[in-house]
Amino acid sequence: MELNDYQDQAAETDVLTGDDDLLPLLGLAGEVGQLIAEYKKRQRDKTGYRAFREEVHEELGDILWYAAALARYNGFNLDEIARENLTKTRGLFRPPAQLPPHDRFDSDAPGDQQLPVRLTVTFVETEETTPRGETLQRVRMYRGDQPVGDPLDDNSENNDDYRYHDVFHLAHMAILGWSPVMRRLLHRKRSELPTVDRVQDGGRAAAIEEGLTAYVFTMAAEHSFFTTLAHVPPSVLKTCSKMTSHLEVAARSAADWHAAILTGYQAFGQVVENRGGVLTADLDNRTLSYDGPATAMDVGS
């Protein structure tokens, strides 16, 4: 039976009053609660209770009925919901290596205003004393012997290694083909396309990227920086999409964001462990690789 056929036939047995969403919502909650109660019975009497599978079968049917009612009250059909759910879950749980190629956002810009297809940078950490007498751990990023951006410290009373957060901008650039921050640092803003320069590469877009990077970092800290979690919480991906919904990166999927975040945190863990290192962003292959610890030859080559 097709899901839409089920939904149509289930409507014939709907004796709920009106189209109040609360009634199917309460029904869903009740049926899930009943499943939990049945599971408790099984846990309490592992050998004596034999009805669990039959109860699961029946309660899942009731859950489907209430789900069909709630969908119908809101003008949806179950086929559509099922297709979109599969698209979302495939995006959330597909390994990054399976991401398809994507079109470049800056393909119509002059070559010197495009993000580099391949970029190798070196992160170097030093301990410095400020004019105020503070001793800080700072990180500098170099492209060859040329500094990229300013030296960064954690800007925090706690040592949380956020001074390495440009790694995440590199991951956005490599996996998403998007990073207003890296465009600014690399002097690759699309100045010959005025509207694009103002909207996509401007200060607001860069601030949004910095903001979502800080937000994801806060969430990652609650999950061991994704070293023990194979998947980014869907709520984090949804927030990233909402924060960038008016920008060109809105064309990227949840799978793209998922890959960008996990790739960034893998590289982040490597540079933090080695107190620096060499990273290569490859936009064609959509990868960000850790090439090894930094050496004197890496800065100045």
Side-chain angles (χ1 to χ4, degrees):
M1 172 179 285
E2 298 291 332
L3 286 174
N4 280 351
D5 291 339
Y6 171 84
Q7 186 174 357
D8 291 340
Q9 294 185 42
E12 299 172 2
T13 61
D14 187 353
V15 295
L16 301 179
T17 57
D19 58 356
D20 186 357
D21 288 347
L22 180 61
L23 295 175
L25 284 171
L26 290 173
L28 285 169
E31 299 303 333
V32 171
Q34 185 61 36
L35 274 177
I36 295 171
E38 293 298 325
Y39 183 77
K40 182 192 71 174
K41 293 177 185 178
R42 190 178 74 167
Q43 290 298 99
R44 184 180 59 199
D45 187 3
K46 294 183 182 296
T47 58
Y49 186 66
R50 302 176 181 273
F52 181 70
R53 291 187 73 257
E54 290 78 6
E55 292 294 335
V56 168
H57 187 277
E58 180 177 349
E59 300 302 336
L60 285 177
D62 291 340
I63 288 171
L64 183 59
W65 189 95
Y66 283 113
L70 185 60
R72 188 174 65 255
Y73 292 178
N74 286 278
F76 301 127
N77 63 69
L78 289 182
D79 275 351
E80 173 191 20
I81 291 171
R83 281 194 301 270
E84 292 180 0
N85 178 259
L86 285 176
T87 298
K88 182 183 77 171
T89 53
R90 284 170 180 156
L92 291 176
F93 302 114
R94 182 172 52 189
Q98 297 181 15
L99 289 173
H102 56 49
D103 295 331
R104 298 282 299 275
F105 290 127
D106 55 10
S107 59
D108 57 347
D112 62 353
Q113 295 176 23
Q114 296 179 7
L115 291 171
V117 174
R118 185 177 177 85
L119 174 68
T120 297
V121 297
T122 303
F123 287 85
V124 177
E125 180 175 308
T126 57
E127 184 175 276
E128 303 176 17
T129 302
T130 71
R132 296 180 179 181
E134 294 179 287
T135 300
L136 301 174
Q137 301 295 323
R138 283 181 167 162
V139 168
R140 286 175 165 80
M141 181 166 58
Y142 294 89
R143 185 182 189 185
D145 61 357
Q146 297 299 310
V148 180
D150 298 322
L152 301 176
D153 64 69
D154 289 338
N155 294 126
S156 172
E157 293 180 355
N158 302 314
N159 180 5
D160 60 4
D161 296 310
Y162 196 70
R163 55 192 177 273
Y164 285 101
H165 82 274
D166 279 339
V167 170
F168 306 129
H169 300 309
L170 284 168
H172 295 161
M173 185 182 82
I175 307 301
L176 303 172
W178 170 85
S179 175
V181 172
M182 289 307 302
R183 284 193 184 278
R184 183 188 66 212
L185 295 179
L186 296 170
H187 307 291
R188 296 298 182 101
K189 292 184 64 180
R190 290 164 282 184
S191 57
E192 293 192 22
L193 302 171
T195 300
V196 172
D197 184 32
R198 178 174 59 85
V199 176
Q200 304 296 342
D201 302 344
R204 181 178 177 183
I208 288 172
E209 186 186 4
E210 291 284 15
L212 69 85
T213 298
Y215 159 72
V216 175
F217 189 84
T218 300
M219 301 303 295
E222 298 178 357
H223 297 283
S224 302
F225 296 103
F226 303 127
T227 57
T228 59
L229 186 68
H231 302 288
V232 179
S235 59
V236 173
L237 301 177
K238 185 175 290 187
T239 298
C240 290
S241 294
K242 285 185 177 180
M243 289 179 68
T244 58
S245 61
H246 66 291
L247 298 172
E248 61 191 359
V249 74
R252 301 299 184 235
S253 66
D256 293 319
W257 276 107
H258 191 258
I261 292 171
L262 288 186
T263 298
Y265 277 89
Q266 181 180 25
F268 174 78
Q270 290 169 315
V271 294
V272 167
E273 180 181 358
N274 292 282
R275 313 322 303 178
V278 181
L279 294 178
T280 297
D282 187 322
L283 274 67
D284 280 344
N285 293 311
R286 303 181 70 185
T287 59
L288 178 64
S289 60
Y290 177 75
D291 301 335
T295 66
M297 294 183 62
D298 293 319
V299 180
S301 58

